Amino acid sequence: MELIVQKREILGRKVKDLRRQGLIPAELYGRGLENLHLAVPEKDFNKVFKQAGENQVVQLKIDSQTRPVLIYEIDRDPVTDEIINIDFYQVRLDEEIKVRVPVEFIGESAAVKAGNILVKAIQEIEVEALPGNIPQSFIVDISKLAEVGQSFYIKDLPLRQAQGKSIKILSEPESVIATIQAPITEEEEKILEERAVPGVEAVKVETEEKKAEREVTKDKDKEKVAEAPAPKPDGKS
């Protein structure tokens, strides 16, 4: 995937002018490299990002140079969700890197159809591999989870072979990616709610108990003081 960008001299608040022209301000950096300020065509970027995501290598074309990069970070406007800045990270194709690969759930579970709950415990998995070997996502077929209590673990993921080198998964192999749980009953839900948020009466009872404990402690302290021997006066007797 190739993305044609251009260097920019416009910095600071003036980048608003770029956005009016359909360009997104961006930064390119990498280990041992000087940072570059870039302007990226918004329409072209959206097409590339839809295919590449944040873990696929994109060939960034700047003037006559082409650089392999990852779309490292995207800043969005919290209100409009508009992209306001992009960070690209230049990689070496012969050097392994650590990235997080998203989990994609496919299929239908007979257990879920029967009214049970699919709990998705993990959404991303950390891996280490050459940039060109990193998958766009890990596929988890939940149709294999047919009964309550069945789970899909990280160790169940197939490791794709690429150029004779496997992808190394850094997350714990026994970690559960997804599991089937029975729906909780109304009684169980009520118990959980009571544990999470104590009612006024519960707080009042607890307060009265603490007050009673303090009164008992005070009485015992008074008894100890009364029983204690009087201190010896200074000087001769």
Side-chain angles (χ1 to χ4, degrees):
M1 285 167 284
E2 185 179 83
L3 179 61
I4 300 174
V5 301
Q6 61 191 60
K7 294 179 182 178
R8 65 180 167 95
E9 301 296 333
I10 299 175
L11 305 172
R13 295 182 179 179
K14 293 182 180 180
V15 296
K16 291 181 180 179
D17 296 332
L18 288 176
R19 298 191 184 100
R20 293 191 190 100
Q21 301 170 38
L23 299 172
I24 305 171
E27 301 292 330
L28 170 64
Y29 58 94
R31 191 172 64 183
L33 300 175
E34 183 179 352
N35 289 15
L36 289 180
H37 308 299
L38 305 172
V40 184
E42 184 177 7
K43 290 183 179 179
D44 295 343
F45 175 78
N46 287 336
K47 291 178 183 178
V48 169
F49 182 63
K50 189 174 181 180
Q51 298 179 53
E54 295 182 352
N55 53 14
Q56 296 289 287
V57 175
V58 174
Q59 299 298 331
L60 208 63
K61 191 170 183 180
I62 310 169
D63 297 331
S64 59
Q65 293 184 334
T66 301
R67 305 191 184 200
V69 303
L70 294 178
I71 301 170
Y72 187 76
E73 188 172 2
I74 298 175
D75 290 332
R76 295 180 182 271
D77 186 287
V79 177
T80 65
D81 202 39
E82 178 186 13
I83 298 175
I84 56 178
N85 190 75
I86 306 165
D87 284 350
F88 295 105
Y89 182 78
Q90 184 169 330
V91 296
R92 288 185 51 176
L93 298 178
D94 61 347
E95 184 176 87
E96 291 186 337
I97 57 173
K98 295 178 182 179
V99 296
R100 291 187 174 274
V101 177
V103 176
E104 182 180 349
F105 297 92
I106 63 170
E108 292 183 318
S109 167
V112 173
K113 284 184 178 181
N116 297 294
I117 301 171
L118 173 68
V119 179
K120 299 176 181 178
I122 293 177
Q123 300 291 336
E124 291 182 325
I125 296 171
E126 188 176 17
V127 305
E128 184 175 32
L130 295 175
N133 294 352
I134 298 169
Q136 188 168 4
S137 63
F138 283 115
I139 305 298
V140 174
D141 186 357
I142 64 171
S143 64
K144 298 177 180 178
L145 305 178
E147 299 177 1
V148 173
Q150 283 190 320
S151 300
F152 195 104
Y153 299 85
I154 284 182
K155 65 182 181 182
D156 297 327
L157 292 170
L159 294 184
R160 188 186 70 175
Q161 296 291 324
Q163 299 178 359
K165 294 183 179 180
S166 64
I167 298 166
K168 183 179 179 182
I169 293 181
L170 302 179
S171 302
E172 177 58 44
E174 296 296 330
S175 296
V176 173
I177 297 176
T179 189
I180 301 293
Q181 290 185 0
I184 61 175
T185 64
E186 291 184 5
E187 184 178 351
E188 290 172 333
E189 187 175 356
K190 186 177 179 181
I191 292 172
L192 290 175
E193 289 177 355
E194 289 175 351
R195 288 178 179 175
V197 184
V200 176
E201 291 303 319
V203 174
K204 184 178 179 182
V205 169
E206 182 181 358
T207 303
E208 293 298 329
E209 289 177 351
K210 293 292 183 183
K211 184 178 178 181
E213 288 179 9
R214 286 196 297 270
E215 292 299 330
V216 170
T217 302
K218 283 182 182 179
D219 291 340
K220 288 183 177 179
D221 290 340
K222 288 178 181 178
E223 291 176 2
K224 288 181 180 179
V225 171
E227 295 174 358
K232 293 181 180 180
D234 292 333
K236 298 180 181 178
S237 55

